[in-house]
Amino acid sequence: MAETPRKKSRLIPEVDFSRDGKQTGFVRLFHSTHDSAYGFLPIPIVVVRNGDGPTALLTAGNHGDEYEGQVALTNLAKWLTPERIRGRVILLPMANFPAALAGRRVSPIDDLNMNRIFPGDPDGTVTRQIAHFIDSALIPLADLVIDLHSGGSSLMYIPCALAKQSANPAVFERQLAALRAFGAPYTYIQGGAQGQGGDQTLGSGADRRGIIALGTELGGTGTLTPAGLAIAERGLRNLLVHLGILPRDEWREPPAPTRFLDVRGPEMYVYAPENGLFEPLVELGEEVAPGRPAARIHVPETPWLPPVEVRFNAAGIVMCKRIPARTKRGDCLFHLASDLSIA
Ligand SMILES: [Zn+2]
């Protein structure tokens, strides 16, 4: 069950989560600096409520250089009205506000990646305080949390939805039902694979409380992909219909049912074995077999040496690819996803 936070958040929302109607404003994070002694960082928030009913918490900008979710929630902030819904929707389009404002994965204030520090700390640096506010003040209000991501500056994804498999089978069933409603072309299920944040992500904060946690990877490379945005916009509405927050006539049928994929093993990832220049040998969406060459790492500093070849260790679809050619040992170059055997 949920742990009771030892300390209350220092952040102050300008909205009242229990009030009916549509409220817009900021969560104030007081941050005393040389330039602004008594000032606050204004984290935008929108709350739309119409009576009792389920609550959806929709977040984006957890990583500041991932844009489809930020725009989808910005559009939803204008479209959602209390008359349209039953229950409550909470929108946080720039969750790590300083990072989103800077267009960076990590905060320019404390250099922290917010999706690796949950449940946060009310007495910590700025990013730790935001994570703690989301974890202790927003997530407990929700029946479902979806945290919208893309690949960020260094990665490109085939647009997809995802969930980390809840250890609670009943919650996992509800995750799968919600993912079917979201209706992305692909949906992958994470296990505890290295590098994906483990129990330090926003979604893990929801899962700790038995709340349905979903995510997305809608594109990447620090740009906004129209196809990813369209998937997010249709998916969010369908998710709200699925929860009973929006009426059935707002449902938009996806072109095809989502294809469930599995990214639960470390063998699905390919890493650079050396520093050098990354030459990809496959493209996103290709289906590969184990042993297929994935990349060459060239070393122009010693051009007489042969490139290092990297091979895939598993079969699957290429879901994600590194973008910058300049690569260091340990960088993730690709990850695969294989078909998931569920219903
Ligand atoms: Zn992200």
Side-chain angles (χ1 to χ4, degrees):
M1 271 316 290
E3 287 175 31
T4 313
R6 244 172 263 124
K7 279 196 174 173
K8 208 171 169 308
S9 174
R10 298 176 190 278
L11 279 64
I12 302 169
E14 295 176 354
V15 292
D16 175 352
F17 295 102
S18 63
R19 212 170 79 195
D20 273 344
K22 180 171 186 169
Q23 301 172 75
T24 59
F26 303 97
V27 178
R28 299 181 176 194
L29 196 176
F30 283 89
H31 182 53
S32 180
T33 63
H34 178 81
D35 293 323
S36 183
Y38 295 163
F40 63 84
L41 299 173
I43 305 167
I45 190 165
V46 176
V47 183
V48 187
R49 184 175 185 270
N50 183 6
D52 292 333
T55 293
L57 170 62
L58 316 181
T59 61
N62 179 340
H63 293 139
D65 60 344
E66 302 174 4
Y67 299 106
E68 289 83 356
Q70 295 186 46
V71 172
L73 296 192
T74 296
N75 288 337
L76 205 55
K78 290 178 273 286
W79 182 80
L80 273 180
T81 58
E83 300 73 42
R84 279 198 157 108
I85 70 161
R86 185 182 67 84
R88 180 169 55 181
V89 182
I90 302 170
L91 303 175
L92 201 66
M94 297 174 85
N96 191 354
F97 175 73
L101 203 60
R104 289 176 53 78
R105 182 173 184 82
V106 301
S107 175
I109 298 175
D110 54 19
D111 216 32
L112 284 176
N113 176 343
M114 192 166 78
N115 219 31
R116 297 292 183 275
I117 57 167
F118 274 79
D121 178 356
D123 296 326
T125 58
V126 161
T127 310
R128 292 187 195 282
Q129 288 189 47
I130 298 171
H132 178 266
F133 173 79
I134 293 170
D135 193 77
S136 66
L138 298 185
I139 287 174
L141 301 175
D143 299 285
L144 177 145
V145 177
I146 182 164
D147 190 29
L148 300 160
H149 286 253
S150 301
S153 302
S154 72
L155 298 174
M156 187 65 177
Y157 263 93
I158 291 188
C160 57
L162 62 104
K164 185 178 167 211
Q165 179 166 357
S166 176
N168 177 335
V171 174
F172 185 47
E173 278 307 310
R174 290 180 4 236
Q175 286 178 306
L176 293 175
L179 289 164
R180 284 191 191 96
F182 189 86
Y186 295 96
T187 298
Y188 74 82
I189 303 301
Q190 292 176 312
Q194 316 99 308
Q196 289 188 327
D199 62 355
Q200 294 179 298
T201 63
L202 191 157
S204 71
D207 191 51
R208 270 191 285 277
R209 295 175 168 85
I211 295 164
I212 305 166
L214 310 180
T216 62
E217 296 290 357
L218 295 165
T221 73
T223 189
L224 194 153
T225 314
L229 177 61
I231 290 165
E233 299 208 300
R234 185 190 61 224
L236 289 170
R237 281 202 203 190
N238 285 356
L239 210 49
L240 295 178
V241 172
H242 172 75
L243 290 169
I245 293 175
L246 278 175
R248 193 71 208 171
D249 60 8
E250 294 293 352
W251 179 267
R252 302 287 178 270
E253 192 63 30
T258 193
R259 178 172 170 186
F260 278 103
L261 301 170
D262 191 333
V263 191
R264 288 181 290 186
E267 72 283 1
M268 305 310 275
Y269 294 77
V270 173
Y271 299 96
E274 297 290 345
N275 298 347
L277 294 183
F278 163 46
E279 178 194 359
L281 299 177
V282 296
E283 284 306 325
L284 285 171
E286 277 191 57
E287 303 225 14
V288 302
R292 165 93 178 261
R296 291 187 196 102
I297 305 295
H298 298 274
V299 190
E301 293 91 330
T302 41
W304 49 89
L305 291 182
V308 178
E309 195 174 76
V310 194
R311 291 172 183 267
F312 289 105
N313 297 314
I317 299 170
V318 181
M319 292 302 288
C320 171
K321 169 184 142 176
R322 176 178 170 83
I323 293 304
R326 181 48 73 180
T327 294
K328 294 191 306 299
R329 178 181 290 156
D331 286 335
C332 179
L333 304 178
F334 295 103
H335 86 68
L336 300 174
S338 58
D339 277 305
L340 184 70
S341 47
I342 48 159

